[in-house]
């Protein structure tokens, strides 16, 4: 059970693994002991100090009483701890006790983290962090211990930090042209704390920017009266200057003048006109909102968090109107490129997938498609018994192990035309691992990028939106059509003719897929196909990391339709879904490399900047998996140039991690320098709005670094392993010489999610299995990793590595003998 603690108000505790069920803490002395340990911030508090703090006149049995309080707290906080086993949370150490709570387990600690992070963020990122931080307060800190000396300093410090956060929140709202929202909170703030000049200034400015010039001047005069009459001091220079500026209606007080000049004025005028002319209940507002949320999501930080939250609300609002086409457009408009394969919010993703499926069914019913072809997007017989589809209540990555679809073995080819990669492939040696017999596929000739790919059999030349004959055929900067790549699934990606939706021209189409009309003659049919493809691509992207065939099938269908319609924007989104569903087994970096290659060429031709960035990041990952860091460097630099030019701040997060990985993989720095690079990269994740990427990643990277160098796992109890805890736990227990517990933990380890860290997690599982002699797990790890023999484990994530897969396979094979 994970426990949360609250001290921003009365002292409480709750079960963080449920919906916040309160934990009974018995009497005031028990709460006092808990509060005193929280004040100590994980440090040991001697029993003698506890006695002094609990009683003005300690009773004769004070030591025993303290032990009784501690024992009762342990039973409450760790109810499932077996008898006579050491406490994990409230521990005995030296002369006293310490509360080893996680860094985010105490509301006051999380409040401080949020306020500190907000100080480093721009206003649009700072505001949501500050709002969340201030929402944690339920009353005065350590409310029932206001008179205790041991709590006084901490209460004062937290109260001052809260005042600072309120004023910083007001400043952020002013910077974001949300002055009206700042006024009520500032007025309440100043009613309790009238001596804070910064708050007076913010309130006057907020009133002025909402058109209340007289009220703004009255506020400044009230501040002057209070300061002069009650404190005997004149207002500071900032207050005096603001009064002069308001009287003179200084241009710089106009919020648009302070935030972008002419561009900001155009934005303000346009949005004001939109509000005036488009009715508040108009359906077009939902579509405009969806498009705006798409752009907002790519700002990172608070923008991304807000976009995800409001996206769900926009879809729900569209569904309420009962118009399937409108709902489909609202869902499909959010074609935000996705590079990370672990979901930030599985519940939100499941709700979007469920809405997309309902909308597909409604569209099919409206268009007259047979009922048995639409509701289940998965081809008949392909879902495994007991497996849940997206939206059926399970998070992606959960459930039984999936099977390999026949015909999914693929090879990727680069511009050089050199052959397949994988076990037995030869080519350049992986940098930093010469002499180990580990080679990277020769996919990329020097100074020549691998070319785009198209489905086999789709070579019949036809001009359309792509402008180069068959859909997907690109020109790689020198006039020659790019080579097709045999990197496709057997079902669903062969030739899709003009007059049919399936290979060979079969009128029925692929399982579960009905062609609306023939070719592009029927405009309504084409529109329906395009809408369906966007819904299918959404399902593919939002069901990433899962163990079901449904997402992969949806990706293939979306790609087929997009190629048939010659729609470059739709194809780019569909290829994003294809990428997200290309993790059904280890060793598929060649397939992803080909997808990234096509995305770059496609996006560059059609001005799809966000997808061009995505293509470079995909290829950065794939070339990293091959150990081809020269090519990966080029893609990192290209992504950064695009990110800087088009204001995509999240690009730098991924390239910073890539450079830390490169340092680790090439062996050109000592462990301390590599660890520092990882920590610097992790700092860029704070506030980036990607919890699915952030949680547990730094500890995992440091664990992989140690394992790759033959060192034991880190054992710091404060490490937050996040979703990677099951794979780290056996190695951590081994580092503590608890072999029996490690073996038991290993038996409980699930198969890794089908995502970018698949190979790395299998390698960690394999190392633990070798250490405890678990032959069955050793065999499973060897079989799972064999297809990736030519790769660097984990480097395909662009984030971390556990070294060459071949070395792990050798050790696993020896352990099986």
């Amino acid at each position: 059970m994970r426990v949360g603690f609250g001290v921003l108000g009365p002292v409480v505790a709750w079960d963080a693994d449920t919906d916040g069920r309160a934990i009974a803490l018995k009497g005031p002395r028990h709460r006092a002991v808990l509060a005193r340990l929280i004040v100590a911030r994980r440090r040991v508090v001697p029993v003698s100090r506890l006695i002094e703090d609990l009683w003005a006149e300690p009773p004769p049995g004070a030591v025993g009483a303290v032990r009784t309080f501690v024992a009762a707290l342990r039973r409450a906080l760790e109810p499932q701890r077996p008898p006579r086993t050491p406490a994990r949370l409230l521990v005995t150490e030296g002369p006293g006790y310490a509360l080893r709570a996680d860094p985010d387990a105490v509301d006051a600690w999380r409040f401080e983290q949020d306020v500190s992070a907000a100080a480093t963020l721009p206003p649009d990122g700072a505001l949501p962090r500050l709002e969340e931080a201030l929402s944690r307060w339920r009353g005065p800190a350590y409310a029932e211990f206001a008179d205790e000396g041991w709590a006084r300093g901490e209460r004062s410090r937290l109260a001052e930090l809260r005042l600072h956060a309120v004023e910083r929140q007001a400043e952020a709202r002013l910077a974001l042209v949300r002055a009206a929202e700042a006024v009520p909170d500032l007025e309440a703030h100043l009613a309790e704390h009238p001596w804070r000049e910064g708050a007076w200034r913010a309130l006057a400015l907020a009133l002025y920017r909402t058109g209340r010039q007289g009220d703004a001047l009255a506020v400044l005069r009230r501040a002057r009266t209070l300061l002069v009459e009650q404190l005997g001091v004149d207002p500071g220079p900032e207050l005096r200057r603001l009064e002069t500026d308001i009287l003179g209606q200084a241009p710089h007080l106009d919020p648009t003048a302070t935030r972008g000049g002419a561009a900001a004025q155009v934005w303000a005028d346009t949005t004001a006109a939109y509000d005036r002319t488009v009715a508040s209940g108009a359906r077009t507002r939902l579509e405009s909102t969806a498009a705006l949320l798409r752009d907002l999501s790519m700002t990172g930080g608070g923008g991304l968090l807000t976009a995800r939250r409001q996206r769900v609300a926009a879809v729900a609002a569209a569904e309420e109107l009962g118009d399937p086409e409108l709902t489909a457009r609202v869902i499909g408009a959010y074609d935000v490129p996705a590079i990370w394969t672990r979901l930030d919010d599985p519940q939100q993703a499941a709700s979007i997938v469920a809405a997309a499926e309902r909308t597909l069914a409604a569209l099919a019913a409206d268009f007259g498609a047979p009922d048995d072809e639409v509701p289940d997007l998965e081809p008949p017989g392909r879902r495994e018994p007991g497996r849940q589809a997206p939206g059926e209540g399970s998070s992606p990555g959960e459930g039984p192990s999936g099977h390999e679809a026949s015909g999914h073995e693929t090879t990727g080819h680069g511009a050089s035309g050199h052959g397949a990669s994988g076990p037995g492939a030869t080519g350049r040696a992986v940098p930093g691992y010469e002499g180990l017999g580990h080679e990277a596929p020769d996919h990329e000739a020097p100074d020549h990028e691998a070319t785009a790919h198209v489905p086999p059999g789709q070579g019949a030349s036809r001009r359309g939106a792509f402008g180069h004959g068959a859909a997907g055929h690109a020109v790689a900067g020198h006039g020659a059509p790019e080579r097709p790549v045999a990197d496709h699934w057997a079902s669903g990606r062969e030739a899709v003719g003009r007059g049919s939706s399936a290979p060979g021209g079969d009128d029925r189409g692929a399982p579960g897929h009905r062609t609306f009309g023939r070719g592009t003659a029927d405009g309504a049919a084409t529109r329906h196909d395009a809408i369906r493809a966007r819904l299918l691509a959404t399902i593919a992207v939002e069901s990433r990391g899962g163990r079901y065939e449904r997402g992969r099938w949806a990706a293939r269908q979306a790609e087929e339709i997009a190629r048939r319609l010659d729609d470059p924007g739709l194809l780019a989104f569909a290829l994003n879904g294809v990428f997200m569903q290309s993790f059904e087994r280890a060793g598929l970096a060649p397939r992803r490399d080909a997808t990234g290659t096509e995305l770059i060429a496609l996006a560059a031709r059609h001005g799809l900047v966000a997808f061009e960035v995505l293509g470079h990041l995909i290829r950065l990952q794939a070339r990293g998996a091959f150990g081809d860091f020269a090519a990966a460097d080029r893609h990192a630099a290209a992504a950064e140039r695009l990110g800087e030019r088009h204001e995509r701040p999240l690009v730098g997060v991924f390239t910073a991690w890539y450079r830390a990985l490169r340092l680790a993989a090439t062996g050109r720095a000592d462990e301390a320098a590599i660890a520092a690079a990882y920590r610097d990269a992790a700092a860029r994740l704070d506030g980036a709005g990607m919890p699915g990427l952030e949680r547990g990643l730094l500890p995992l990277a440091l664990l992989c670094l140690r394992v790759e160098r033959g060192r034991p796992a880190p054992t710091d109890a404060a490490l937050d392993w996040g979703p990677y805890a099951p794979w780290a736990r056996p190695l951590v227990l081994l580092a503590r010489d608890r072999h029996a517990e490690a073996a038991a933990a290993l038996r409980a380890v699930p198969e890794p999610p089908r995502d970018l860290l698949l190979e790395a997690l299998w390698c960690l599982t394999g190392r633990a299995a070798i250490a405890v002699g678990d032959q069955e797990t050793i065999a499973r790890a060897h079989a799972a990793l064999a297809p990736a023999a030519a790769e660097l484990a984990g480097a395909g994530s662009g984030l971390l590595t556990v070294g060459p897969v071949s070395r792990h396979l050798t050790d696993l094979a020896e352990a099986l003998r």
Side-chain angles (χ1 to χ4, degrees), residues 533-812:
R534 284 196 170 273
L535 292 172
L536 290 165
T538 299
I539 290 169
V541 171
E542 296 297 340
S543 60
R544 56 190 183 266
R547 297 186 182 279
Y548 27 67
E549 296 294 330
R550 194 181 192 91
R552 289 196 288 281
W553 185 87
R556 296 196 293 272
Q557 293 297 301
E559 184 190 8
E560 284 182 6
I561 297 170
R563 292 192 188 282
R564 175 161 48 80
L565 298 180
D566 267 1
D567 184 330
L570 181 58
L571 180 57
F573 188 30
L575 289 175
N576 197 173
V578 168
F579 163 71
M580 282 295 176
Q581 294 295 331
S582 59
F583 298 90
E584 64 262 33
R585 62 166 174 80
L588 293 180
R591 181 190 296 176
R592 297 191 286 275
D593 196 36
T595 299
T597 297
E598 181 174 8
L599 263 175
I600 293 169
L602 171 71
R605 284 198 307 276
H606 297 283
L608 305 171
V609 174
F611 286 104
E612 188 176 357
V613 170
L614 175 66
H616 283 296
L617 292 178
I618 291 173
R619 294 214 66 203
L620 177 155
Q621 294 173 340
R623 303 318 302 179
F626 304 148
D628 183 1
F629 292 112
D633 286 348
R634 293 198 296 274
H635 290 293
E640 286 175 330
R641 285 193 299 271
L642 288 166
E644 183 176 353
R645 187 185 316 146
H646 298 280
E647 297 177 334
R648 298 288 188 264
L650 294 180
V651 172
V653 173
F654 291 98
T655 55
W657 273 93
Y658 162 70
R659 290 192 170 89
L661 153 69
R662 192 187 196 287
L663 204 60
T666 55
R668 294 174 184 170
D670 59 26
E671 185 174 325
I674 298 168
Y678 274 131
R679 290 190 179 93
D680 289 344
R684 301 192 64 162
L685 279 170
D686 191 21
M690 297 182 288
L693 178 63
E694 180 180 359
R695 280 205 67 216
L697 187 58
L698 177 59
L700 180 67
L702 297 177
L703 171 64
C704 290
L705 178 62
R706 287 190 175 217
V707 168
E708 197 274 331
R709 298 192 170 209
R711 298 190 56 221
T715 57
D716 184 355
L719 285 175
D720 177 10
W721 293 100
Y724 311 111
W727 294 275
R729 181 169 173 74
L731 293 166
V732 171
L733 290 169
L734 286 167
R736 293 173 176 165
D737 292 327
R738 291 155 63 178
H739 286 252
E741 292 176 62
L746 182 63
R747 288 193 293 273
V749 169
E751 285 198 9
R754 297 182 176 186
D755 62 20
L756 281 160
L757 292 172
L758 176 69
E759 291 90 349
L761 295 181
W762 266 121
C763 286
L764 296 180
T765 300
R767 302 317 301 187
I770 292 171
V772 302
D774 184 335
Q775 292 290 299
E776 180 183 350
T777 303
I778 291 171
R780 287 172 55 232
H782 190 280
L785 288 168
E791 296 182 13
L792 290 178
S797 68
L799 305 173
L800 52 81
T801 183
V802 205
V805 172
S806 59
R807 192 165 65 198
H808 292 276
L809 287 171
T810 298
D811 293 344
L812 289 164

Side-chain angles (χ1 to χ4, degrees), residues 450-462:
T451 53
H453 64 286
V454 294
Q458 198 166 297
S461 179
R462 54 190 178 92

Side-chain angles (χ1 to χ4, degrees), residues 201 204-205 208 213 216-217 220 237-254:
R201 183 186 182 282
L205 186 56
Y208 179 79
Q213 179 177 336
L217 290 169
L220 291 172
E238 288 194 358
L239 281 182
R240 297 197 302 271
R241 190 181 308 118
L242 178 61
E243 185 174 24
T244 301
D245 289 343
I246 289 176
L247 287 168
Q249 297 185 346
H252 71 265
L253 295 182
D254 181 352

